[in-house]
Amino acid sequence: MKNDTTTTLLNFVLAVLVILGVAFALMSMSRTRDVRQMQTSLQLEVQKVQASSMKAQALLNDVIAYNTTAKNPELQQ
C-alpha cells in the first residue's frame, strides 16, 4: 500500500471495533443469563401464589358448602 499511516489507522480502527464487538457480545450473554435466572425465579413465585390461591378457593368452597348445610345466619353474612 502507498500510505502506511492510513493503513495503520484503519487497522487500529478495525481492532477497536473487533474488541468492542467482543465486549458487547459478552455483555449480551451475561444479561441474557441474568434474565433467564430472574424468569425462573419469577416462575417459582407465580407457582407459589397459584398454590395459595387454590388453597384459599378450596377453603371458600368448603365454607360455602358448610353454610348450605348448617343454615347459620351468622355465617351467611
Side-chain angles (χ1 to χ4, degrees):
M1 295 192 143
K2 289 184 177 182
N3 194 349
D4 286 333
T5 307
T6 305
T7 305
T8 304
L9 180 65
L10 289 176
N11 282 335
F12 177 74
V13 170
L14 180 63
V16 168
L17 291 175
V18 168
I19 291 171
L20 285 175
V22 169
F24 286 138
L26 291 174
M27 287 171 42
S28 175
M29 289 179 357
S30 173
R31 288 183 180 174
T32 301
R33 186 181 320 117
D34 292 343
V35 168
R36 285 184 181 166
Q37 288 175 351
M38 284 192 306
Q39 182 181 9
T40 303
S41 174
L42 287 175
Q43 285 176 346
L44 292 174
E45 290 297 320
V46 167
Q47 288 175 353
K48 289 178 185 178
V49 168
Q50 287 175 339
S52 297
S53 175
M54 289 174 55
K55 287 179 185 178
Q57 186 64 41
L59 178 62
L60 179 63
N61 291 339
D62 289 344
V63 169
I64 291 171
Y66 178 76
N67 190 26
T68 57
T69 59
K71 300 292 183 190
N72 188 347
E74 293 177 2
L75 290 177
Q76 291 179 355
Q77 295 177 357

